[in-house]
Amino acid sequence: MNVLTITGAQKSFAELGVLKDISLSVDEGEVVSVIGPSGSGKSTLLRCATFLETLDRGEIAYMGKKAAHSGPDGKSVYEKDLSPFRRCFGLVFQQFNLFPHRSVLQNVTDAPVRVQKRPRAEAEEEARKLLGKLGLADKADAYPCQLSGGQQQRASIARALAMKPELLFFDEPTSALDPELTGEVLRVIRRLAEEKMTMVIVTHEMDFARAVSDRVIFMDGGVIVEQGAPDDVLVNPTQERTRQFLKSYQS
């Protein structure tokens, strides 16, 4: 089943076209890594998929139901109530975005209690299980400022998982971390991939993308230049632009 389908996505800021007719789908259990140079449209694509930005044109569907469709004038028209679609996904940011004045446990339980109206005791029990799974069982009562960057990112992953999403988005999840802490977070994502969690990962970690992905998408200039199996895109790309990017990345 398609968890996410994006069709004909276009997005401009002022006169600058950032997304130019992007179409893609993500199947249940699939891990898709999105790579490309700065300014290629990767993060904008993710922000549009999660409704942090609105498309100018194009359609977005989750679980086969359209959150945005094309109106008579070709422009994107969004459903008035996007909350059912927001329940389909979780988002892990570059900068963690934890509430600094709340403990780790409170950060993880806040949305299940407030948004999903789950009983607090149930949400806390689930949160403690998630924190244990992510190696943070002893940090439940700590505050974000008392955690390392890697621990904060793992806490933000637990927060996203607590909502029981169909799909997890990661926006450069290790870009704010040093190499040692990067390994912590990548191990967690690798474990989620082994458990068949559906994920879309915007990343600059090429070796990781190759190891964990079912499919790699290379974007540049607001378009998908190439996509396919990790070895096909990262080792034997067919497009010259992909080869140039990978060569510059390795040099």
Side-chain angles (χ1 to χ4, degrees), residues 202-220:
V202 172
T203 185
H204 60 276
E205 300 283 348
M206 299 301 152
D207 290 341
F208 176 73
R210 184 181 177 191
V212 79
S213 306
D214 297 299
R215 179 160 45 109
V216 172
I217 292 174
F218 172 61
M219 287 182 64
D220 188 36

Side-chain angles (χ1 to χ4, degrees), residues 54-70:
T54 55
L55 291 176
D56 299 328
R57 293 175 179 269
E59 301 187 340
I60 300 173
Y62 280 96
M63 310 303 290
K65 297 181 179 178
K66 288 184 180 179
H69 66 273
S70 295

Side-chain angles (χ1 to χ4, degrees), residues 92-107:
V92 179
F93 299 89
Q94 294 180 35
Q95 299 294 338
F96 324 135
N97 285 25
L98 296 169
F99 294 115
H101 58 290
R102 295 182 184 174
S103 69
V104 169
L105 184 65
Q106 289 170 330
N107 266 281

